[in-house]
Amino acid sequence: MIRVLVAEDHTIVREGIKQLIGLGKDLQVVGEACNGEQLMENLRHTPCDVVLLDISMPGMNGLEAIPRIRALNRPPAILVLSMHDEAQMAARALKIGAAGYATKDSDPSLLLAAVRKVAAGGRYIDPELADRMVFEVGLTDERPPHALLSEREFSVFERLVQGEGVNEIGQHLGLSGKTISTHKARLMQKLGTSSVAELVRYAVEHKLV
């Protein structure tokens, strides 16, 4: 039996995922979480084989959670299930330790197959993303500016476009407001923006929110 823990902040989506997993006779939902902090707490007490991980969660988001999950003594495989069908986002998640990346509009049968594949030690990439990842990420230099952000800068960027202030971001990430301001200045320079409103526009245009 493959034990799955579902981390998703939207209740309706989470319940739908649980029902879908329940269709697999070899799959079992053993836990759920609505944010990154709850996910890490559950993982300390609930053994599982696969974490179905949403990227956009309040508090600690999915990208921030991946390295922490990987640092556990017996880390489960991580299958990112995201609303983002963006090749750079998928590449970033896989680079920092996810075993697979699927989108929320994936065919249900493909999602169940993906869970089984990563549970067995394999890798999975949404078929529609696979070709784009090769050409957008691997073979050309025409990468979008946000691909040049460091992991920390990307985390700050995500929180800024979600409406968090510098001090609030600092509290979430355990950093000083001054450090966050430095990251903010650098990422805005890399993205060619001069205001949070422009950051939001950039995020919408590149399907990052």
Side-chain angles (χ1 to χ4, degrees):
M1 185 68 71
I2 299 172
R3 301 164 297 178
V4 182
L5 197 154
V6 179
E8 161 65 53
D9 64 319
H10 292 96
T11 303
I12 293 177
V13 177
R14 189 169 66 249
E15 291 300 318
I17 293 171
K18 287 163 57 182
Q19 289 183 21
L20 174 61
I21 293 173
L23 297 176
K25 295 182 180 180
D26 57 334
L27 306 176
Q28 177 186 12
V29 176
V30 295
E32 58 186 282
C34 62
N35 57 57
E37 288 78 8
Q38 188 178 55
L39 167 63
M40 297 309 300
E41 181 63 25
N42 287 353
L43 285 173
R44 294 185 186 98
H45 306 290
T46 307
C48 68
D49 304 298
V50 177
V51 171
L52 258 180
L53 180 65
D54 182 26
I55 286 284
S56 304
M57 293 188 295
M60 184 198 312
N61 64 34
L63 287 178
E64 293 164 351
I66 290 172
R68 301 192 188 190
I69 296 171
R70 297 293 300 158
L72 296 172
N73 287 334
R74 299 182 66 182
I78 302 167
L79 176 60
V80 173
L81 183 60
S82 174
M83 64 179 285
H84 306 294
D85 64 349
E86 210 257 357
Q88 294 292 339
M89 183 75 77
R92 191 178 292 269
L94 295 168
K95 179 181 177 181
I96 60 177
Y101 192 100
T103 58
K104 290 181 180 178
D105 58 358
S106 297
D107 183 276
S109 61
L110 286 179
L111 180 59
L112 294 181
V115 172
R116 295 183 178 105
K117 188 170 183 179
V118 300
R123 308 269 282 180
Y124 176 86
I125 303 173
D126 185 287
E128 293 186 8
L129 269 177
D131 287 343
R132 284 163 53 198
M133 285 183 67
V134 170
F135 290 102
E136 292 180 25
V137 182
L139 297 182
T140 76
D141 292 326
E142 298 178 4
R143 297 184 298 167
H146 61 269
L148 305 177
L149 299 180
S150 68
E151 297 302 328
R152 182 63 75 195
E153 288 168 348
F154 192 82
S155 293
V156 173
F157 164 69
E158 273 202 317
R159 293 179 181 280
L160 285 170
V161 300
Q162 290 168 5
E164 293 187 21
V166 167
N167 291 333
E168 188 178 3
I169 296 172
Q171 290 177 352
H172 279 142
L173 301 183
L175 299 169
S176 69
K178 183 177 180 180
T179 299
I180 297 301
S181 294
T182 299
H183 286 311
K184 178 181 177 182
R186 288 176 179 169
L187 72 88
M188 291 180 77
Q189 182 179 24
K190 289 180 180 180
L191 299 182
T193 58
S194 57
S195 68
V196 172
E198 289 183 8
L199 284 179
V200 172
R201 190 179 306 117
Y202 180 98
V204 171
E205 290 175 352
H206 290 81
K207 300 180 180 180
L208 299 174
V209 294

